[in-house]
Amino acid sequence: MYYIYFSFIFILSGLMFLECKRQSLPKWWAAIVFAAPVTTPYFIFKSGKGNRLILFLIFIVCFSIVTVGEIFIYSRMKATYKYDSLPPVTRQLIRYSEILQQTTQNLDNALIELEQQSTVQSNLDKLEQTIVFIGQLRQTMLDNQVAIKQMVEFVGSYRDFFTQKDLQWVYEIKRFYNNRIVIAHLESLENYLDNFETLLRFCYRNFDAITKAESTIHLKNYDEYYLRYRRAVDSHNRFNVKRIEFQNDFIKRHPETKAYLPTERQTKAFRLWE
């Protein structure tokens, strides 16, 4: 703290000392300015010489910049060290929980985007974009799964600590992600992505043959891939309904866990790609 402030008052009081010496003014003005920089405008106008208004405006601008800079530095330092007074286990829990919340939100956003891209029209550019996006979504899912695993393993290792600290609800996060309904829901999502990507890649490689209906073999294969995809969509939507019901009931019983569970992606079923 005060890195910018002390540099500023040293320079300011030094300039005031030189000005007092140059104009034969009382040199103790510089000491007052050093102790209380806000008195500088008073001495600027009391000197009665030069462009006092310009000097005053320069002081106001510089003082404002210093104040904003100090506030910014303080806020950054406060954010960096805000958990230092907490026990190591609590600090680690907070870090893992923040990672879990962020990766969950990233996955929610990605699934919302996929839902929007699921309505793409049959054109090569859109097909390629969606295929690439599914690859990115897989990485987002992996990041979320890693965060879930970290949180679950950590909570399991320190269950006694959380119980002693009256933080039993933290252990409920582990119970949620280990629940068979939640696991089945994630597996159905992976199956959905596999079948959707397979269908898109087949359409991309055989675009002309399918759109122009030039090959009965390609059309037959397309129907087969689309049927698998449709079954995967229906299956995922069914598991999603079960997971929504379970999650809503879970949050009612353990409202403290809400921030660590899926959000937007629980609200809608996937639409079929046409």
Side-chain angles (χ1 to χ4, degrees):
M1 275 294 292
Y2 304 119
Y3 304 115
I4 303 176
Y5 175 77
F6 283 123
S7 300
F8 172 71
I9 62 172
F10 272 117
I11 294 172
L12 184 63
S13 59
L15 291 174
M16 180 60 72
F17 179 81
L18 293 175
E19 188 64 18
C20 291
K21 186 176 181 180
R22 188 176 68 85
Q23 296 191 27
S24 299
L25 297 170
K27 296 181 177 60
W28 55 265
W29 287 10
I32 298 298
V33 168
F34 180 83
V38 292
T39 61
T40 302
Y42 169 77
F43 294 116
I44 289 175
F45 287 102
K46 189 174 181 180
S47 65
K49 297 181 180 181
N51 296 320
R52 291 172 292 178
L53 182 59
I54 294 177
L55 292 174
F56 172 72
L57 292 176
I58 291 174
F59 168 78
I60 291 298
V61 170
C62 293
F63 191 78
S64 299
I65 292 173
V66 170
T67 302
V68 172
E70 286 294 344
I71 292 173
F72 175 76
I73 292 173
Y74 174 75
S75 62
R76 290 290 298 273
M77 290 180 65
K78 186 176 180 181
T80 302
Y81 300 107
K82 62 181 178 180
Y83 300 136
D84 280 10
S85 61
L86 300 175
V89 174
T90 305
R91 291 203 303 269
Q92 191 62 49
L93 171 67
I94 292 172
R95 292 191 183 96
Y96 282 152
S97 68
E98 288 176 344
I99 294 172
L100 176 57
Q101 289 182 62
Q102 185 58 60
T103 57
T104 299
Q105 186 60 57
N106 292 343
L107 182 55
D108 290 344
N109 294 337
L111 289 169
I112 292 170
E113 176 65 23
L114 180 64
E115 169 66 13
Q116 295 171 352
Q117 294 200 24
S118 295
T119 60
V120 295
Q121 300 299 316
S122 297
N123 91 46
L124 285 173
D125 290 339
K126 290 294 185 180
L127 289 172
E128 185 177 18
Q129 289 175 16
T130 306
I131 292 170
V132 171
F133 183 78
I134 288 176
Q136 297 170 348
L137 194 151
R138 288 184 190 281
Q139 182 58 52
T140 304
M141 282 186 64
L142 178 60
D143 293 340
N144 185 238
Q145 289 299 302
V146 170
I148 291 171
K149 184 179 179 180
Q150 284 180 335
M151 188 73 165
V152 167
E153 291 180 351
F154 182 78
V155 169
S157 299
Y158 292 95
R159 181 179 182 180
D160 292 341
F161 173 85
F162 297 128
T163 302
Q164 293 172 5
K165 297 294 184 180
D166 197 25
L167 295 172
Q168 179 64 23
W169 66 267
V170 174
Y171 188 75
E172 300 302 329
I173 298 173
K174 176 182 178 180
R175 289 186 58 242
F176 176 85
Y177 283 108
N178 279 343
N179 185 273
R180 60 181 180 81
I181 295 175
V182 176
I183 293 173
H185 168 262
L186 291 173
E187 290 175 348
S188 72
L189 177 58
E190 292 175 355
N191 182 55
Y192 161 76
L193 292 177
D194 288 341
N195 283 278
F196 191 22
E197 184 177 12
T198 299
L199 173 63
L200 292 174
R201 288 188 180 279
F202 177 78
C203 293
Y204 184 78
R205 290 193 302 267
N206 304 282
F207 186 78
D208 289 337
I210 295 171
T211 55
K212 296 178 182 178
E214 295 175 342
S215 170
T216 55
I217 295 177
H218 285 94
L219 291 176
K220 182 178 180 180
N221 288 337
Y222 170 82
D223 289 340
E224 183 178 345
Y225 285 128
Y226 188 82
L227 181 59
R228 292 178 184 174
Y229 158 73
R230 181 159 189 160
R231 287 172 178 168
V233 172
D234 292 339
S235 175
H236 176 66
N237 288 338
R238 285 196 301 272
F239 279 112
N240 200 38
V241 170
K242 293 180 181 179
R243 197 276 313 223
I244 291 170
E245 293 173 351
F246 168 70
Q247 181 169 327
N248 289 339
D249 179 65
F250 192 88
I251 291 174
K252 287 180 182 178
R253 289 183 284 113
H254 309 287
E256 305 93 337
T257 64
K258 183 176 181 180
Y260 307 98
L261 309 185
T263 53
E264 290 294 335
R265 73 171 185 265
Q266 74 171 343
T267 58
K268 294 182 179 179
F270 281 123
R271 290 174 291 179
L272 287 170
W273 176 73
E274 301 293 343

